[in-house]
Amino acid sequence: MSATMAGQQIPVIDISNIDEAAGAQLVDAVHDWGFAFITGSNTGFSAPLIDRLFDLSGSLFRLPFKEKESCAISSNNKGWSRLHSETLDPKHQKRGDLKESATHFLPFGANIVNPQQPIPPSLAQKEAEISDFADRCRGLCMQLLRLFALGLKIDETDGGQAWFARYHDVSKGPSGSILRLLYYPAPGVCEQDTDASALRAGAHSDYGSITLLFQRSAQPGLEVLSPQAHWSSVPVWPPGTEEDQYPPILVNVGDLLSYWTNGFLKSTVHRVVFPPNGASTDRYSVAYFCHPANDTKLAPVPSEVVTAALDSTGIKQDVLGGSRTLTAEGHLRSRLAATYGWEKGADGES
């Protein structure tokens, strides 16, 4: 099964079984596209559960400006971002993204009595509910990381299916993993945004290992850069799955998983555009960005699949890392500094 996308297709992978067959399908999908839809009751996300979080998201973004501003994002990448404060494609965008976001108000998996960022008072009673959603996302990502390891045929002596997952274990220390609520207002909210060049989210690749994206019906806008270098629209859900009890979830590979595999797993550039034909529609989405522990070094993955692919092209295994091995935190801080215009200090802090 697949989701038609401007004459091409993003595969739909059933992950009911965490085995080599499902892993191979997932690896094949993201090697070509960087994206795949995943299905199955063991994703852990029923339609009512997803709808409930979107209800909470809507209530948050409708709060008065002053209440949201009291929780403004800081260099820890947590908090509320106003319209145009984020520029995902700073080299080409004339103006920042037309969106608001609320990022990881809670230290998920830690003590929620002591949040790392101020929380809107009207949202305080919903902390546990949002935290549960984030924990479910993390659990699903751990399943996917095991599938990637199975699909890449990592030998048991090197860690087997636990190879990626072990670097994402919360016991390894803090990471950049975040749950992000996103709101893209309908066209015309600002006079300047009638410019044809304005984007809801500029062209970018994601910074972490993998991303989970939850979308709402009849709120399109996501586009990916196809292997043929054309922008292609992505359906909210694959055709025929609109009434599924467990809606398909869109998954994409981020920079770190791509670095680990020397580009074999593709971190695809994508963006969010306005609805076609001038339709006046808000867009809400929820993204979970999964990152390994901050001090994780992105050394080459011991995969016969990756090695064989690189040998066939003549590419050296360490080419993407250059002369030094990247760390997860170093890459994240570099990307955030460019996105928000934060200056980096000598110690790498932004």
Side-chain angles (χ1 to χ4, degrees):
M1 186 178 178
S2 58
T4 300
M5 190 180 68
Q8 303 178 68
Q9 298 175 331
I10 290 181
V12 181
I13 313 297
D14 186 339
I15 64 165
S16 297
N17 297 313
I18 306 299
D19 56 23
E20 289 187 12
Q25 292 179 47
L26 187 60
V27 165
D28 286 346
V30 299
H31 172 63
D32 292 334
W33 284 101
F35 281 78
F37 282 100
I38 57 171
T39 62
S41 60
N42 66 336
T43 63
F45 292 92
S46 65
L49 180 67
I50 296 170
D51 288 343
R52 176 59 184 158
L53 190 69
F54 275 118
D55 289 342
L56 290 176
S57 176
S59 64
L60 185 150
F61 290 115
R62 288 190 295 270
L63 290 174
F65 176 83
K66 286 188 176 181
E67 186 170 352
K68 292 185 289 187
E69 190 177 34
S70 69
C71 307
I73 195 168
S74 61
S75 60
N76 65 4
N77 197 29
K78 297 175 176 66
W80 171 75
S81 298
R82 68 176 72 190
L83 292 174
H84 305 300
S85 64
E86 184 177 11
T87 308
L88 285 171
D89 187 11
K91 289 184 178 179
H92 300 102
Q93 284 180 258
K94 297 178 181 178
R95 190 169 171 81
D97 296 348
L98 182 61
K99 70 172 186 286
E100 294 181 33
S101 69
T103 303
H104 203 195
F105 280 111
L106 304 174
F108 298 114
N111 179 10
I112 65 172
V113 176
N114 183 30
Q116 298 174 353
Q117 189 75 10
I119 300 167
S122 57
L123 202 64
Q125 294 182 346
K126 308 300 181 182
E127 293 176 0
E129 194 169 345
I130 300 174
S131 181
D132 175 71
F133 195 95
D135 286 341
R136 287 171 182 264
C137 287
R138 187 181 66 81
L140 177 54
C141 286
M142 295 297 276
Q143 292 186 61
L144 292 171
L145 290 166
R146 292 187 174 91
L147 279 173
F148 280 122
L150 286 167
L152 292 173
K153 299 182 180 180
I154 299 175
D155 192 272
E156 286 298 325
T157 59
D158 291 316
Q161 65 174 285
W163 198 88
F164 290 116
R166 65 186 179 184
Y167 295 112
H168 295 74
D169 189 322
V170 293
S171 68
K172 300 294 184 181
S175 78
S177 295
I178 56 173
L179 180 73
R180 196 169 205 206
L181 311 180
L182 293 150
Y183 166 53
Y184 305 89
V189 67
C190 296
E191 183 178 347
Q192 299 95 323
D193 298 315
T194 58
D195 188 318
S197 65
L199 292 170
R200 284 174 151 176
H204 65 286
S205 58
D206 287 346
Y207 311 160
S209 298
I210 50 179
T211 301
L212 307 178
L213 184 67
F214 303 85
Q215 304 179 86
R216 301 219 79 173
S217 177
Q219 295 181 4
L222 178 64
E223 293 186 341
V224 305
L225 196 61
S226 75
Q228 293 74 33
H230 300 300
W231 287 109
S232 299
S233 60
V234 179
V236 173
W237 295 314
T241 65
E242 293 82 359
E243 303 300 325
D244 283 7
Q245 182 180 1
Y246 293 88
I249 300 167
L250 189 61
V251 175
N252 66 279
V253 165
D255 294 342
L256 301 190
L257 210 58
S258 185
Y259 281 132
W260 254 321
T261 61
N262 215 79
F264 182 78
L265 299 183
K266 188 177 181 182
S267 181
T268 299
V269 174
H270 51 285
R271 66 184 185 181
V272 180
V273 300
F274 288 103
N277 305 319
S280 181
T281 308
D282 288 338
R283 173 180 164 87
Y284 289 88
S285 64
V286 175
Y288 182 82
F289 300 100
C290 180
H291 290 247
N294 285 342
D295 60 359
T296 299
K297 294 182 178 180
L298 306 177
V301 60
S303 163
E304 62 181 67
V305 174
V306 173
T307 299
L310 296 179
D311 286 347
S312 69
T313 59
I315 298 175
K316 293 182 179 180
Q317 178 78 339
D318 62 351
V319 68
L320 288 180
S323 60
R324 65 184 178 88
T325 301
L326 291 173
T327 64
E329 184 178 29
H331 175 71
L332 175 60
R333 288 194 175 279
S334 175
R335 292 294 303 270
L336 288 174
T339 296
Y340 288 101
W342 295 332
E343 293 186 2
K344 295 174 63 178
D347 61 354
E349 293 293 322
S350 58

